[in-house]
mmCIF file of all heavy atoms in Angstrom:
data_model
loop_
_atom_site.group_PDB
_atom_site.id
_atom_site.type_symbol
_atom_site.label_atom_id
_atom_site.label_comp_id
_atom_site.label_asym_id
_atom_site.label_seq_id
_atom_site.Cartn_x
_atom_site.Cartn_y
_atom_site.Cartn_z
ATOM 1 N N PRO M 29 -38.805 25.197 18.665
ATOM 2 C CA PRO M 29 -37.848 26.165 18.012
ATOM 3 C C PRO M 29 -36.925 25.373 16.869
ATOM 4 O O PRO M 29 -36.863 24.056 17.113
ATOM 5 C CB PRO M 29 -37.047 26.652 19.094
ATOM 6 C CG PRO M 29 -36.989 25.730 20.227
ATOM 7 C CD PRO M 29 -38.402 25.070 20.043
ATOM 8 N N PRO M 30 -36.451 26.037 15.913
ATOM 9 C CA PRO M 30 -35.663 25.277 14.900
ATOM 10 C C PRO M 30 -34.482 24.447 15.477
ATOM 11 O O PRO M 30 -34.296 23.322 14.957
ATOM 12 C CB PRO M 30 -35.047 26.500 14.021
ATOM 13 C CG PRO M 30 -36.134 27.498 14.168
ATOM 14 C CD PRO M 30 -36.596 27.469 15.635
ATOM 15 N N PRO M 31 -33.830 24.787 16.495
ATOM 16 C CA PRO M 31 -32.698 23.794 16.990
ATOM 17 C C PRO M 31 -33.280 22.464 17.480
ATOM 18 O O PRO M 31 -32.585 21.456 17.078
ATOM 19 C CB PRO M 31 -32.050 24.615 18.097
ATOM 20 C CG PRO M 31 -32.166 26.029 17.695
ATOM 21 C CD PRO M 31 -33.592 26.089 17.247
ATOM 22 N N ALA M 32 -34.367 22.518 18.001
ATOM 23 C CA ALA M 32 -34.975 21.270 18.508
ATOM 24 C C ALA M 32 -35.446 20.344 17.404
ATOM 25 O O ALA M 32 -35.285 19.102 17.416
ATOM 26 C CB ALA M 32 -36.070 21.621 19.441
ATOM 27 N N VAL M 33 -36.018 21.096 16.359
ATOM 28 C CA VAL M 33 -36.476 20.351 15.083
ATOM 29 C C VAL M 33 -35.377 19.814 14.307
ATOM 30 O O VAL M 33 -35.181 18.622 13.978
ATOM 31 C CB VAL M 33 -37.337 21.192 14.329
ATOM 32 C CG1 VAL M 33 -37.798 20.529 12.997
ATOM 33 C CG2 VAL M 33 -38.638 21.765 14.983
ATOM 34 N N PHE M 34 -34.301 20.531 14.310
ATOM 35 C CA PHE M 34 -33.062 20.127 13.573
ATOM 36 C C PHE M 34 -32.462 18.857 14.280
ATOM 37 O O PHE M 34 -32.047 17.928 13.631
ATOM 38 C CB PHE M 34 -32.089 21.249 13.510
ATOM 39 C CG PHE M 34 -30.834 20.856 12.720
ATOM 40 C CD1 PHE M 34 -30.714 21.035 11.394
ATOM 41 C CD2 PHE M 34 -29.652 20.278 13.457
ATOM 42 C CE1 PHE M 34 -29.620 20.640 10.672
ATOM 43 C CE2 PHE M 34 -28.499 19.957 12.598
ATOM 44 C CZ PHE M 34 -28.526 20.112 11.382
ATOM 45 N N ASP M 35 -32.389 18.955 15.673
ATOM 46 C CA ASP M 35 -31.847 17.774 16.374
ATOM 47 C C ASP M 35 -32.720 16.610 16.074
ATOM 48 O O ASP M 35 -32.157 15.501 15.933
ATOM 49 C CB ASP M 35 -31.998 18.077 17.873
ATOM 50 C CG ASP M 35 -30.814 18.988 18.351
ATOM 51 O OD1 ASP M 35 -29.906 19.230 17.566
ATOM 52 O OD2 ASP M 35 -30.854 19.393 19.402
ATOM 53 N N ALA M 36 -34.028 16.689 16.085
ATOM 54 C CA ALA M 36 -34.854 15.546 15.686
ATOM 55 C C ALA M 36 -34.657 15.007 14.411
ATOM 56 O O ALA M 36 -34.632 13.667 14.151
ATOM 57 C CB ALA M 36 -36.264 15.908 15.920
ATOM 58 N N LEU M 37 -34.405 15.823 13.398
ATOM 59 C CA LEU M 37 -34.138 15.360 12.020
ATOM 60 C C LEU M 37 -32.799 14.786 11.863
ATOM 61 O O LEU M 37 -32.487 13.678 11.287
ATOM 62 C CB LEU M 37 -34.306 16.454 11.081
ATOM 63 C CG LEU M 37 -35.624 17.073 10.865
ATOM 64 C CD1 LEU M 37 -35.634 18.455 10.086
ATOM 65 C CD2 LEU M 37 -36.552 16.125 10.241
ATOM 66 N N ALA M 38 -31.669 15.519 12.287
ATOM 67 C CA ALA M 38 -30.409 15.226 11.961
ATOM 68 C C ALA M 38 -29.533 14.428 13.011
ATOM 69 O O ALA M 38 -28.840 13.653 12.636
ATOM 70 C CB ALA M 38 -29.602 16.553 11.607
ATOM 71 N N ARG M 39 -29.863 14.586 14.252
ATOM 72 C CA ARG M 39 -29.092 13.906 15.295
ATOM 73 C C ARG M 39 -29.747 12.636 15.857
ATOM 74 O O ARG M 39 -29.138 11.683 16.250
ATOM 75 C CB ARG M 39 -28.780 14.889 16.403
ATOM 76 C CG ARG M 39 -27.800 15.985 15.907
ATOM 77 C CD ARG M 39 -27.121 16.742 17.038
ATOM 78 N NE ARG M 39 -26.235 17.616 16.557
ATOM 79 C CZ ARG M 39 -26.554 18.937 16.344
ATOM 80 N NH1 ARG M 39 -27.803 19.391 16.605
ATOM 81 N NH2 ARG M 39 -25.662 19.813 15.788
ATOM 82 N N ASP M 40 -31.144 12.744 15.926
ATOM 83 C CA ASP M 40 -31.797 11.603 16.562
ATOM 84 C C ASP M 40 -32.436 10.747 15.308
ATOM 85 O O ASP M 40 -33.602 10.570 15.291
ATOM 86 C CB ASP M 40 -32.938 12.056 17.396
ATOM 87 C CG ASP M 40 -33.567 11.029 18.170
ATOM 88 O OD1 ASP M 40 -33.104 9.840 18.157
ATOM 89 O OD2 ASP M 40 -34.695 11.162 18.723
ATOM 90 N N VAL M 41 -31.642 10.255 14.495
ATOM 91 C CA VAL M 41 -32.049 9.504 13.399
ATOM 92 C C VAL M 41 -32.927 8.246 13.714
ATOM 93 O O VAL M 41 -34.029 8.084 13.123
ATOM 94 C CB VAL M 41 -30.842 9.038 12.529
ATOM 95 C CG1 VAL M 41 -31.324 8.125 11.338
ATOM 96 C CG2 VAL M 41 -30.145 10.214 11.937
ATOM 97 N N THR M 42 -32.473 7.523 14.710
ATOM 98 C CA THR M 42 -33.358 6.325 15.143
ATOM 99 C C THR M 42 -34.645 6.835 15.703
ATOM 100 O O THR M 42 -35.673 6.071 15.661
ATOM 101 C CB THR M 42 -32.544 5.583 16.266
ATOM 102 O OG1 THR M 42 -32.367 6.360 17.331
ATOM 103 C CG2 THR M 42 -31.344 4.945 15.710
ATOM 104 N N GLY M 43 -34.824 8.095 16.282
ATOM 105 C CA GLY M 43 -36.178 8.549 16.647
ATOM 106 C C GLY M 43 -37.191 8.822 15.604
ATOM 107 O O GLY M 43 -38.398 8.935 15.947
ATOM 108 N N TRP M 44 -36.816 8.730 14.317
ATOM 109 C CA TRP M 44 -37.716 8.890 13.251
ATOM 110 C C TRP M 44 -38.943 7.938 13.313
ATOM 111 O O TRP M 44 -40.037 8.263 13.055
ATOM 112 C CB TRP M 44 -37.125 8.927 11.913
ATOM 113 C CG TRP M 44 -36.300 10.182 11.490
ATOM 114 C CD1 TRP M 44 -35.467 10.853 12.199
ATOM 115 C CD2 TRP M 44 -36.535 10.770 10.333
ATOM 116 N NE1 TRP M 44 -34.889 11.823 11.458
ATOM 117 C CE2 TRP M 44 -35.543 11.942 10.371
ATOM 118 C CE3 TRP M 44 -37.345 10.725 9.135
ATOM 119 C CZ2 TRP M 44 -35.502 12.935 9.279
ATOM 120 C CZ3 TRP M 44 -37.197 11.635 8.062
ATOM 121 C CH2 TRP M 44 -36.334 12.679 8.117
ATOM 122 N N THR M 45 -38.665 6.794 13.875
ATOM 123 C CA THR M 45 -39.693 5.726 13.814
ATOM 124 C C THR M 45 -40.763 6.058 14.873
ATOM 125 O O THR M 45 -41.858 5.586 14.797
ATOM 126 C CB THR M 45 -39.188 4.369 14.170
ATOM 127 O OG1 THR M 45 -38.465 4.355 15.489
ATOM 128 C CG2 THR M 45 -38.275 3.965 13.088
ATOM 129 N N ALA M 46 -40.409 6.882 15.789
ATOM 130 C CA ALA M 46 -41.469 7.299 16.810
ATOM 131 C C ALA M 46 -42.413 8.400 16.419
ATOM 132 O O ALA M 46 -43.397 8.672 17.090
ATOM 133 C CB ALA M 46 -40.647 7.797 18.115
ATOM 134 N N TRP M 47 -42.020 9.185 15.325
ATOM 135 C CA TRP M 47 -42.834 10.276 15.022
ATOM 136 C C TRP M 47 -43.246 10.304 13.544
ATOM 137 O O TRP M 47 -44.197 10.970 13.098
ATOM 138 C CB TRP M 47 -42.246 11.752 15.379
ATOM 139 C CG TRP M 47 -40.919 12.026 14.774
ATOM 140 C CD1 TRP M 47 -39.711 11.684 15.437
ATOM 141 C CD2 TRP M 47 -40.559 12.498 13.503
ATOM 142 N NE1 TRP M 47 -38.607 12.112 14.619
ATOM 143 C CE2 TRP M 47 -39.089 12.705 13.518
ATOM 144 C CE3 TRP M 47 -41.420 13.082 12.534
ATOM 145 C CZ2 TRP M 47 -38.521 13.206 12.341
ATOM 146 C CZ3 TRP M 47 -40.664 13.715 11.431
ATOM 147 C CH2 TRP M 47 -39.251 13.724 11.340
#
Side-chain angles (χ1 to χ4, degrees):
V33 177
F34 184 88
D35 283 347
L37 292 171
R39 292 198 179 92
D40 186 16
V41 173
T42 58
W44 281 54
T45 59
W47 57 268

